[in-house]
Amino acid sequence: MLLLILVCFGICGFSTKVKHEFYVSVTDIYVDAEKGQINGVVKCFPDDWERAMNALLANKVQRYVQLDSTSQDSLHAVYLQKHLNVQVGEQSLKFGYSGTVRGPDEVYLLFEGPMELAPEEYASGWTVNQTLLADIYPTQENIVILHYDGQKYTSSCREGNEYEFNYSF
Amino acid sequence: MFYIELGLRHILDIEGYDHMLFLLALTLPLTFRDWKQTLWWVTAFTVGHSLTLALTATELISMNSTWVELGIAVTIFLTGLFHLLRNFSVSNSGRYLSLIFGAVHGMGFGSYYSFIAQDDVFWWAWLPFNVGIELGQILLVVVLLFVYSIFQKIGVSIKTVRILVTGVVLTLSAQMILERIPNELF
């Protein structure tokens, strides 16, 4: 019993910040051959997103929530452009931010771009690099789901794979 | 495959080591010779965890996350205390303890799971995700029992090791409890 008490006191100085917090986002990328478009949506938690946006405004007096929707959209576009890079073969997908939808517990960021390759070329050589929110949370994990020709592939960009993965359907 | 890996990482994530601490507490009285009991206990935890994970993620049950986090810390403390008071004896009651406490831990993960598993993959991903959790737990428990067996081999009293580990478990979980007590209680 004395041993037990000694261990208990000995370890008391150890700090326990172990609340199981998860920093995660989910991105869907669709190859829409009929419309000749690449569409996508990023889903993340509103508080995480707000923190990332405030970090962009670090040198300004205004906070993210004080901005009008046009200014918020500009921030979203800049951030998304910087943190989501997708290549198919040698071709970088050129998509642009197209809007935000807010749910009760999540924020959806929409993006779209033209299909610049023939549809069958999207079957192989995908490289996805997604560092969204990783600048804020080192343990951020960005789940990415690729949709192509009725097929689906799920993976994630995280610290362990340097926020990048490759895939061919 | 992705969801199996995700389940594995959920258990082995050092950033949130409350799961590991619970397994450390749970396996306190076990050795490799008790492999059947070990498997029962670990599986009971996964069953409890899987059920409440699904129920919480589908919003069939709902609990304030602050209280769930507190509950998780309490289960770790009680598991350590339970084994200490029973002088580290192995009994069937361990599996029921494991099932109930697994259920508490599962509630802590429901909102995360419903966020990552969208409607069309919800149930399709649920099984592999929980298989990943089970595999992660088995891996962790095998490592723990292996460490215990090394101590035995080199002549260290296993009782002493268990008391030391219990001290670690009780102290860390007590700290967790204090940190997680909801503000509304004050």
Side-chain angles (χ1 to χ4, degrees), chain B residues 54-102:
Chain B
L55 292 171
T56 316
T58 52
E59 295 180 353
L60 284 172
I61 56 170
S62 167
M63 249 189 103
N64 185 316
S65 66
T66 313
W67 288 100
V68 174
E69 290 296 334
L70 176 66
I72 289 171
V74 170
T75 62
I76 300 167
F77 186 86
L78 289 180
T79 307
L81 193 66
F82 174 80
H83 291 315
L84 181 70
L85 295 177
R86 292 177 59 92
N87 205 22
F88 305 107
S89 63
V90 180
S91 71
N92 281 339
S93 52
R95 70 178 75 159
Y96 302 114
L97 185 85
S98 195
L99 180 77
I100 295 163
F101 288 0

Coordinates of all heavy atoms in Angstrom, one line a residue, chain B residues 54-102:
Chain B
A54 N -22.9 3.5 -32.4 CA -24.0 3.5 -33.5 C -25.2 4.3 -32.9 O -25.8 5.1 -33.6 CB -24.4 2.1 -33.8
L55 N -25.6 4.0 -31.7 CA -26.8 4.6 -31.1 C -26.6 6.1 -31.0 O -27.5 6.9 -31.2 CB -27.1 4.0 -29.7 CG -27.6 2.6 -29.7 CD1 -27.6 2.0 -28.3 CD2 -28.9 2.4 -30.4
T56 N -25.4 6.5 -30.6 CA -25.1 8.0 -30.4 C -25.0 8.6 -31.8 O -25.5 9.7 -32.0 CB -23.8 8.2 -29.7 OG1 -23.7 7.3 -28.5 CG2 -23.7 9.6 -29.2
A57 N -24.3 8.0 -32.7 CA -24.1 8.6 -34.1 C -25.5 8.7 -34.8 O -25.6 9.7 -35.6 CB -23.1 7.7 -34.9
T58 N -26.4 7.8 -34.6 CA -27.7 7.9 -35.2 C -28.7 8.7 -34.4 O -29.8 8.8 -34.7 CB -28.3 6.5 -35.4 OG1 -28.3 5.8 -34.2 CG2 -27.6 5.7 -36.5
E59 N -28.2 9.3 -33.3 CA -28.9 10.1 -32.4 C -30.1 9.4 -31.7 O -31.1 10.1 -31.3 CB -29.4 11.4 -33.1 CG -28.2 12.3 -33.5 CD -28.6 13.6 -34.2 OE1 -29.7 13.7 -34.5 OE2 -27.7 14.4 -34.4
L60 N -30.0 8.1 -31.6 CA -31.1 7.4 -30.9 C -30.9 7.6 -29.4 O -31.8 7.5 -28.6 CB -31.0 5.9 -31.2 CG -31.6 5.5 -32.6 CD1 -31.3 4.0 -32.9 CD2 -33.1 5.7 -32.6
I61 N -29.6 7.7 -29.0 CA -29.4 8.2 -27.6 C -28.5 9.5 -27.7 O -27.7 9.6 -28.6 CB -28.7 7.1 -26.7 CG1 -27.4 6.7 -27.3 CG2 -29.6 6.0 -26.4 CD1 -26.5 5.8 -26.4
S62 N -28.7 10.3 -26.7 CA -27.9 11.6 -26.7 C -27.5 11.9 -25.3 O -28.3 11.9 -24.4 CB -28.8 12.6 -27.3 OG -28.3 13.9 -27.1
M63 N -26.2 12.2 -25.2 CA -25.8 12.7 -23.8 C -24.8 13.8 -24.0 O -24.0 13.8 -25.0 CB -25.1 11.5 -23.1 CG -25.8 11.0 -21.9 SD -24.9 9.8 -21.0 CE -24.4 10.8 -19.6
N64 N -24.8 14.7 -23.1 CA -23.9 15.8 -23.1 C -22.5 15.3 -23.1 O -22.1 14.5 -22.3 CB -24.2 16.7 -21.9 CG -23.4 17.9 -21.8 OD1 -22.2 17.9 -22.1 ND2 -24.0 19.0 -21.5
S65 N -21.7 15.8 -24.1 CA -20.3 15.3 -24.2 C -19.4 15.6 -23.0 O -18.5 14.8 -22.7 CB -19.6 15.9 -25.5 OG -19.5 17.3 -25.3
T66 N -19.7 16.6 -22.2 CA -19.0 16.9 -21.0 C -19.1 15.8 -20.0 O -18.1 15.4 -19.4 CB -19.5 18.3 -20.4 OG1 -19.6 19.2 -21.4 CG2 -18.5 18.7 -19.3
W67 N -20.4 15.3 -19.9 CA -20.6 14.2 -18.9 C -20.0 12.9 -19.4 O -19.6 12.1 -18.6 CB -22.1 14.1 -18.7 CG -22.6 15.2 -17.8 CD1 -23.3 16.3 -18.3 CD2 -22.5 15.4 -16.4 NE1 -23.6 17.2 -17.2 CE2 -23.1 16.7 -16.1 CE3 -21.9 14.7 -15.4 CZ2 -23.1 17.2 -14.8 CZ3 -21.9 15.2 -14.1 CH2 -22.5 16.4 -13.8
V68 N -20.1 12.7 -20.7 CA -19.5 11.5 -21.3 C -18.0 11.5 -21.0 O -17.4 10.4 -20.6 CB -19.8 11.3 -22.8 CG1 -19.1 10.2 -23.4 CG2 -21.3 11.2 -23.1
E69 N -17.3 12.6 -21.3 CA -15.9 12.7 -21.0 C -15.5 12.4 -19.6 O -14.6 11.7 -19.3 CB -15.3 14.1 -21.4 CG -15.3 14.3 -22.9 CD -14.4 13.4 -23.7 OE1 -13.4 12.9 -23.1 OE2 -14.7 13.2 -24.9
L70 N -16.4 12.9 -18.7 CA -16.2 12.7 -17.3 C -16.4 11.2 -17.0 O -15.6 10.6 -16.2 CB -17.2 13.5 -16.4 CG -17.2 13.3 -14.9 CD1 -15.8 13.7 -14.3 CD2 -18.3 14.0 -14.2
G71 N -17.4 10.6 -17.6 CA -17.7 9.2 -17.4 C -16.6 8.3 -17.8 O -16.3 7.3 -17.2
I72 N -15.9 8.7 -18.9 CA -14.8 7.9 -19.4 C -13.7 7.9 -18.4 O -13.1 6.8 -18.1 CB -14.3 8.4 -20.8 CG1 -15.3 8.1 -21.9 CG2 -12.9 7.9 -21.2 CD1 -15.1 8.8 -23.2
A73 N -13.4 9.0 -17.8 CA -12.3 9.1 -16.8 C -12.7 8.3 -15.6 O -11.9 7.6 -15.0 CB -12.1 10.6 -16.4
V74 N -14.0 8.3 -15.2 CA -14.5 7.6 -14.0 C -14.3 6.1 -14.3 O -13.9 5.3 -13.4 CB -15.9 8.0 -13.7 CG1 -16.5 7.0 -12.6 CG2 -16.0 9.4 -13.2
T75 N -14.7 5.6 -15.5 CA -14.5 4.2 -15.8 C -13.1 3.7 -15.6 O -12.9 2.6 -15.2 CB -15.0 3.8 -17.2 OG1 -14.2 4.5 -18.2 CG2 -16.5 4.2 -17.4
I76 N -12.2 4.5 -16.0 CA -10.7 4.1 -15.9 C -10.4 4.0 -14.4 O -9.8 3.0 -14.0 CB -9.8 5.2 -16.6 CG1 -10.2 5.3 -18.1 CG2 -8.4 4.8 -16.5 CD1 -9.6 6.4 -18.8
F77 N -10.8 5.0 -13.7 CA -10.5 5.0 -12.2 C -11.1 3.8 -11.5 O -10.5 3.0 -10.8 CB -11.0 6.3 -11.6 CG -10.6 6.4 -10.1 CD1 -9.4 7.0 -9.8 CD2 -11.4 6.0 -9.1 CE1 -9.0 7.1 -8.5 CE2 -11.1 6.1 -7.8 CZ -9.8 6.7 -7.5
L78 N -12.4 3.5 -11.8 CA -13.1 2.4 -11.2 C -12.5 1.1 -11.6 O -12.5 0.1 -10.8 CB -14.6 2.4 -11.6 CG -15.4 3.6 -11.0 CD1 -16.9 3.5 -11.4 CD2 -15.4 3.6 -9.5
T79 N -12.1 0.9 -12.9 CA -11.5 -0.3 -13.3 C -10.2 -0.6 -12.5 O -10.0 -1.7 -12.0 CB -11.2 -0.3 -14.8 OG1 -12.4 0.1 -15.5 CG2 -10.7 -1.6 -15.3
G80 N -9.3 0.4 -12.4 CA -8.1 0.2 -11.6 C -8.4 -0.1 -10.1 O -7.8 -1.0 -9.6
L81 N -9.4 0.6 -9.6 CA -9.8 0.4 -8.2 C -10.4 -1.0 -8.0 O -10.1 -1.7 -7.0 CB -10.8 1.4 -7.8 CG -11.1 1.5 -6.3 CD1 -9.9 2.0 -5.5 CD2 -12.3 2.5 -6.0
F82 N -11.2 -1.4 -8.9 CA -11.9 -2.8 -8.9 C -10.8 -3.9 -8.8 O -10.9 -4.8 -7.9 CB -12.7 -2.9 -10.2 CG -13.3 -4.3 -10.4 CD1 -14.5 -4.6 -9.7 CD2 -12.8 -5.2 -11.3 CE1 -15.1 -5.9 -9.9 CE2 -13.4 -6.4 -11.5 CZ -14.5 -6.8 -10.8
H83 N -9.8 -3.8 -9.7 CA -8.8 -4.9 -9.6 C -7.9 -4.8 -8.4 O -7.5 -5.8 -7.8 CB -7.9 -4.8 -10.9 CG -8.6 -5.1 -12.1 ND1 -9.4 -6.2 -12.2 CD2 -8.6 -4.5 -13.4 CE1 -9.9 -6.3 -13.5 NE2 -9.5 -5.3 -14.2
L84 N -7.7 -3.6 -7.9 CA -6.9 -3.5 -6.7 C -7.6 -4.1 -5.5 O -7.1 -4.8 -4.7 CB -6.6 -2.0 -6.4 CG -5.8 -1.7 -5.2 CD1 -4.3 -2.1 -5.4 CD2 -5.8 -0.2 -4.9
L85 N -8.9 -3.7 -5.4 CA -9.7 -4.2 -4.2 C -9.9 -5.7 -4.3 O -10.1 -6.4 -3.3 CB -11.1 -3.5 -4.2 CG -11.0 -2.0 -3.9 CD1 -12.4 -1.4 -3.9 CD2 -10.3 -1.7 -2.6
R86 N -9.9 -6.3 -5.5 CA -10.0 -7.8 -5.6 C -8.7 -8.5 -5.7 O -8.6 -9.6 -6.1 CB -10.8 -8.1 -6.9 CG -12.3 -7.6 -6.9 CD -12.9 -7.9 -8.2 NE -12.9 -9.3 -8.6 CZ -13.9 -10.1 -8.2 NH1 -14.9 -9.7 -7.6 NH2 -13.8 -11.4 -8.6
N87 N -7.7 -7.7 -5.3 CA -6.3 -8.3 -5.2 C -5.9 -8.9 -6.6 O -5.2 -9.9 -6.6 CB -6.2 -9.3 -4.1 CG -4.8 -9.4 -3.6 OD1 -4.0 -8.5 -3.8 ND2 -4.5 -10.6 -3.0
F88 N -6.3 -8.3 -7.6 CA -5.9 -8.6 -9.0 C -6.3 -10.1 -9.4 O -5.6 -10.8 -10.1 CB -4.4 -8.4 -9.2 CG -3.9 -7.0 -8.9 CD1 -3.2 -6.8 -7.8 CD2 -4.3 -6.0 -9.8 CE1 -2.8 -5.5 -7.5 CE2 -3.9 -4.7 -9.5 CZ -3.1 -4.5 -8.3
S89 N -7.4 -10.5 -8.9 CA -7.9 -11.8 -9.2 C -8.7 -11.8 -10.5 O -9.4 -10.8 -10.8 CB -8.8 -12.4 -8.1 OG -9.9 -11.6 -7.9
V90 N -8.6 -12.8 -11.3 CA -9.3 -12.9 -12.6 C -10.7 -13.5 -12.4 O -10.8 -14.6 -11.8 CB -8.5 -13.7 -13.6 CG1 -9.3 -13.8 -15.0 CG2 -7.1 -13.1 -13.8
S91 N -11.8 -12.9 -12.9 CA -13.1 -13.5 -12.7 C -13.9 -13.1 -13.9 O -13.6 -12.2 -14.7 CB -13.8 -13.0 -11.5 OG -14.1 -11.6 -11.6
N92 N -15.1 -13.8 -14.1 CA -16.0 -13.5 -15.2 C -16.6 -12.1 -15.2 O -17.0 -11.6 -16.2 CB -17.1 -14.5 -15.2 CG -16.6 -15.8 -15.8 OD1 -15.6 -15.9 -16.5 ND2 -17.3 -16.9 -15.5
S93 N -16.6 -11.5 -14.0 CA -17.2 -10.2 -13.8 C -16.5 -9.2 -14.7 O -17.0 -8.1 -15.0 CB -17.3 -9.8 -12.4 OG -16.1 -9.9 -11.8
G94 N -15.2 -9.4 -15.0 CA -14.4 -8.5 -15.8 C -15.0 -8.2 -17.1 O -15.0 -7.1 -17.6
R95 N -15.7 -9.2 -17.7 CA -16.2 -9.0 -19.0 C -17.5 -8.1 -19.0 O -17.7 -7.3 -19.9 CB -16.5 -10.4 -19.7 CG -17.7 -11.1 -19.2 CD -17.9 -12.4 -20.0 NE -17.0 -13.4 -19.7 CZ -17.1 -14.7 -19.9 NH1 -18.3 -15.2 -20.4 NH2 -16.2 -15.6 -19.6
Y96 N -18.2 -8.2 -17.9 CA -19.4 -7.3 -17.8 C -19.0 -5.9 -17.5 O -19.6 -5.0 -18.1 CB -20.3 -7.8 -16.7 CG -20.8 -9.3 -16.9 CD1 -20.4 -10.3 -16.1 CD2 -21.5 -9.6 -18.0 CE1 -20.8 -11.6 -16.3 CE2 -21.9 -10.9 -18.3 CZ -21.5 -11.9 -17.5 OH -21.9 -13.2 -17.7
L97 N -17.9 -5.8 -16.7 CA -17.4 -4.5 -16.4 C -16.9 -3.8 -17.7 O -17.2 -2.7 -18.1 CB -16.2 -4.7 -15.5 CG -15.5 -3.4 -15.0 CD1 -16.2 -2.9 -13.7 CD2 -14.0 -3.8 -14.6
S98 N -16.2 -4.7 -18.5 CA -15.7 -4.2 -19.8 C -16.8 -3.8 -20.8 O -16.7 -2.8 -21.5 CB -14.9 -5.4 -20.4 OG -14.1 -5.0 -21.4
L99 N -17.9 -4.6 -20.8 CA -19.0 -4.3 -21.7 C -19.7 -2.9 -21.4 O -19.9 -2.1 -22.2 CB -20.1 -5.4 -21.6 CG -21.3 -5.3 -22.4 CD1 -21.0 -5.6 -23.9 CD2 -22.4 -6.2 -21.9
I100 N -19.9 -2.8 -20.1 CA -20.6 -1.5 -19.6 C -19.7 -0.3 -19.8 O -20.1 0.7 -20.4 CB -21.0 -1.6 -18.1 CG1 -22.0 -2.7 -18.0 CG2 -21.5 -0.3 -17.6 CD1 -22.2 -3.2 -16.6
F101 N -18.4 -0.5 -19.5 CA -17.5 0.7 -19.6 C -17.2 0.9 -21.1 O -16.9 2.1 -21.5 CB -16.2 0.4 -18.8 CG -16.4 0.5 -17.3 CD1 -17.7 0.8 -16.8 CD2 -15.4 0.3 -16.4 CE1 -17.9 0.9 -15.4 CE2 -15.6 0.4 -15.0 CZ -16.8 0.7 -14.5
G102 N -17.2 -0.1 -21.9 CA -17.0 0.1 -23.3 C -18.1 0.9 -23.9 O -17.9 1.8 -24.8

